[in-house]
Amino acid sequence: MAIERTFSMIKPDATKRNLTGKIVDRLESAGLRVVAQKRIWMSRREAEGFYAVHKERPFFDELCEFMSSGPTVVQVLEGENAIAKNREVMGATNPAEAAEGTIRKDFAESIGENSVHGSDGPDTAKEEIAYFFAATEVVG
Ligand code: DAT
Ligand code: MG
């Protein structure tokens, strides 16, 4: 299995409820290592750029409004199979469908306000890391 890097974000619903540490603990306990991390507050334009792939979806406006409504924690995670492992620890997009013990099952408020983001493949991981971090900010 290959050592991979993936992009992860703790969303405004979770930072608001002071869940940053609890979520990072879930990720670290699953064997993922935080190799870059910062707390930011995205502008509406930054949120639109980040989620550009969803711009034709009916929930796009609501999503960008939410993602720019408060602070987020953006991070790069490293580990064996990091992309799939992060998605597994996160759980399904809709918390009502997320497996027991996943972050979204335990913390998410709704399908829109679902506490965490994780890249869905190697290409998006690379793009999303570069959207927020300079190469010198990722320290393995
Ligand atoms: P994921 O975040 O699991 O990769 P996605 O890429 O399909 O899910 O969608 C991105 C985000 O958009 C998701 O985390 C929350 C929001 N979203 C998705 N489907 C939605 C829906 N039906 N209603 C409201 N928001 C939705
Ligand atoms: Mg996605």
Side-chain angles (χ1 to χ4, degrees):
M1 266 187 282
I3 298 290
E4 288 177 334
R5 284 180 175 171
T6 190
F7 177 75
S8 160
M9 181 164 7
I10 302 174
K11 296 187 179 184
D13 66 286
T15 60
K16 191 169 158 188
R17 288 176 289 142
N18 214 21
L19 293 170
T20 299
K22 285 199 172 74
I23 289 173
V24 172
D25 182 44
R26 299 284 183 105
L27 300 169
E28 290 183 336
S29 296
L32 295 162
R33 179 172 286 273
V34 179
V35 295
Q37 191 180 53
K38 58 192 172 188
R39 185 175 173 96
I40 62 166
W41 190 320
M42 275 194 280
S43 65
R44 174 70 189 235
R45 188 179 288 242
E46 284 169 324
E48 287 170 0
F50 179 68
Y51 276 122
V53 65
H54 294 304
K55 66 177 182 294
E56 305 304 333
R57 308 282 282 277
F59 54 81
F60 182 68
D61 266 2
E62 183 192 330
L63 174 63
C64 295
E65 191 64 33
F66 165 61
M67 293 301 294
S68 56
S69 71
T72 64
V73 175
V74 290
Q75 48 198 4
V76 179
L77 306 176
E78 186 179 89
E80 280 199 0
N81 268 340
I83 297 168
K85 187 174 286 178
N86 180 42
R87 295 288 311 194
E88 192 184 313
V89 178
M90 287 166 56
T93 309
N94 184 349
E97 292 165 8
E100 292 296 330
T102 60
I103 293 170
R104 282 167 163 171
K105 175 72 177 183
D106 293 341
F107 300 128
E109 301 201 293
S110 64
I111 191 169
E113 304 200 1
N114 59 5
S115 304
V116 281
H117 167 86
S119 307
D120 60 10
D123 295 342
T124 48
K126 202 165 276 181
E127 278 171 31
E128 291 172 357
I129 290 168
Y131 193 77
F132 291 104
F133 292 101
T136 51
E137 292 179 298
V138 185
V139 183

